[in-house]
Amino acid sequence: MTIQVLNNKGGTKISKYIYGHFSEHLGRCIYEGLYVGKDSEIPNVNGMRTDVVEALKNIDIPVLRWPGGCFADEYHWKDGIGPKENRKKMVNTHWGGVTENNHFGTHEFFELVDQLGCEAYVNGNVGSGTVQEMAEWVEYITMGGVSPMADWRRENGREEPWDMKFFGVGNENWGCGGNMRPEYYADLYRRYQTYVRQYGDKKIYKVAGGANVDDYNWTEVLMKNAHWLMDGLSLHYYVHPQGWEKKGSALEFDEAEWYLTCEKALHMDELITRHGTIMDKYDPEKRVGIIVDEWGTWFSVEPGTNPGFLYQQNTIRDAMVAALTLNVFHKHADRVHMANIAQTVNVLQAMVLTEGEKMIKTPSYYVFELYKNHQDAELIDSYGNETENISYTISKKDNKVTMSITNYSVTDSADLSFSLEKFGKVVEAKFITADEMNAHNDFDHPDTISIEEFKGFKEENGSLSVEAPAMSVINLVISED
Ligand code: AHR
């Protein structure tokens, strides 16, 4: 495959928020995964696991979505503030029917966001909450002056308001968030978002609850009836190789299922194109972003684990899904303003897995680490003859060009050639790969997959040749002169 890199002038900016994460009160994502409480023997700062926070900071986590997911439309924020011993308990009906003690609430979330140094994306409750409840949450979080909610926040120990950059008005309101018709939700969106008031000077980016997968009618109705009142419209899409009912195992699959999984990941391209085309009718300037605030692999839970906890292992196949999907987001960076892979710790396509005080990084984590340079970089145009099983992104930031190549063939390496007359030298070359389709890290073998130095490239007469091994994600950083 020969790829002509057109020039070294950057084009569309890839928002760093495409590298966002999602954490729900589900299984062991929040409790155990992110939050262990101050009295835990697991090293923590104000209750937040130090190892997990450090790992997420290392991949430059730009934004964290919370508290759900389906949980968001059952969550009543007032139950999660004040002294922990007085907090009302609730049943987490969606996720295993476990008792939620509300020890992780608004103050704890913003403490976590502070420690991570990222932006907050809070998801409000439309399905079972009132307009007043949502309005008061926004006031509690963002009001700096004197007001009932701001004063209550101060009584609970927080003087200054927090920065809340993103706010979601409901979640999956076509399903777990109320089983609504798009016409009904569009009206509710118009009403609820009115009271997401602006107390500080920083504008809150309002996200309307968007479509499930290919429900294009949902997008049509929402855009037609409310596009001028939203900044973003969400889209949820998960990869289940054997379909929604059966899903498929995270660790046991054959070659056919490997390719099916990769194809399903690439389906994101069609979804964004078609939802985007509808949005173009109402918003040709692409002011309203597609916010893919739930994406990733969703397999059957690991045998012997709670079916409601959605705990799954993560292999080199997940790394392919992460890389392929991020490349699709890059391609549509003019319309995709944020994405949040589901879910950060111990749930679905997680970045890290924990067991007691142990933590391991997954192959998906390493893709996010390899791809860090693309955050807020500008896309570089290129064209090449299509080659099976190859996907790539080239971007530029701070006088460096980053080229990421994924070869998702199970068996064959690929010879690629890039014309690079206008560029300098490769200054960094790294990759992840594996010999087995289901290679993964576990608590006894935490480093089966990790980032290694990549030596399979040659620079000659303005061209760069790369031999991309089967099942690999490669990242090359090239100086500009
Ligand atoms: O991420 C798991 C669940 O998937 C979320 O709670 C929900 O929004 C989606 O259906």
Side-chain angles (χ1 to χ4, degrees), residues 197-404:
R197 298 289 190 202
Q198 199 63 53
Y199 294 103
D201 351 309
K202 292 193 190 146
K203 187 177 177 303
I204 297 175
Y205 184 108
K206 296 180 199 173
V207 181
N212 183 28
V213 193
D214 55 359
D215 183 353
Y216 299 114
N217 181 50
W218 186 278
T219 299
E220 176 75 43
V221 173
L222 262 287
M223 287 301 288
K224 183 171 178 201
N225 293 294
H227 70 88
W228 63 97
L229 297 171
M230 63 176 83
D231 300 300
L233 181 61
S234 70
L235 169 66
H236 288 183
Y237 173 57
Y238 287 99
V239 171
H240 318 285
Q242 295 185 15
W244 166 250
E245 292 296 333
K246 285 173 77 184
K247 299 196 171 60
S249 161
L251 290 177
E252 286 167 28
F253 53 89
D254 58 15
E255 220 173 280
E257 198 159 315
W258 164 286
Y259 286 112
L260 187 60
T261 307
C262 293
E263 274 162 34
K264 288 196 171 190
L266 288 167
H267 182 56
M268 184 68 90
D269 194 6
E270 179 179 331
L271 293 174
I272 294 172
T273 304
R274 293 186 63 182
H275 284 291
T277 303
I278 295 166
M279 292 171 78
D280 285 346
K281 275 205 299 190
Y282 301 96
D283 173 38
E285 267 88 54
K286 301 189 196 299
R287 185 192 63 80
V288 179
I290 291 183
I291 306 297
V292 192
D293 54 17
E294 291 189 28
W295 68 274
T297 55
W298 186 332
F299 301 124
S300 311
V301 298
E302 288 309 316
T305 64
N306 187 327
F309 281 16
L310 310 188
Y311 177 76
Q312 65 190 40
Q313 249 297 354
N314 192 299
T315 68
I316 189 77
R317 180 178 59 156
D318 293 75
M320 300 295 128
V321 170
L324 295 175
T325 308
L326 288 168
N327 289 346
V328 170
F329 292 156
H330 297 159
K331 177 176 158 194
H332 294 281
D334 54 350
R335 182 62 91 177
V336 179
H337 295 181
M338 175 162 58
N340 309 73
I341 187 168
Q343 298 192 5
T344 325
V345 192
N346 294 331
V347 171
L348 300 179
Q349 190 173 353
M351 295 292 108
V352 297
L353 303 176
T354 67
E355 194 177 86
E357 60 179 16
K358 293 188 194 157
M359 183 203 80
I360 54 172
K361 295 174 176 170
T362 64
S364 302
Y365 176 94
Y366 289 120
V367 173
F368 276 70
E369 182 169 346
L370 285 172
Y371 271 50
K372 273 198 298 197
N373 280 1
H374 295 304
Q375 292 195 21
D376 277 347
E378 292 179 340
L379 269 178
I380 287 192
D381 291 337
S382 63
Y383 66 90
N385 44 337
E386 291 272 313
T387 298
E388 264 197 340
N389 307 325
I390 295 291
S391 157
Y392 68 95
T393 292
I394 308 173
S395 78
K396 177 185 158 183
K397 185 168 78 174
D398 301 335
N399 300 324
K400 294 228 165 67
V401 170
T402 299
M403 191 179 279
S404 303

Side-chain angles (χ1 to χ4, degrees), residues 22 24 26 65 68-71 95 171-172 174 176 236 238 244 294 298 310 342-343 347-348:
F22 167 39
E24 179 167 11
L26 193 178
R65 176 177 183 238
C70 294
F71 182 80
W95 306 120
N171 169 73
E172 295 196 352
W174 40 262
C176 64
H236 288 183
Y238 287 99
W244 166 250
E294 291 189 28
W298 186 332
L310 310 188
Q343 298 192 5
V347 171
L348 300 179

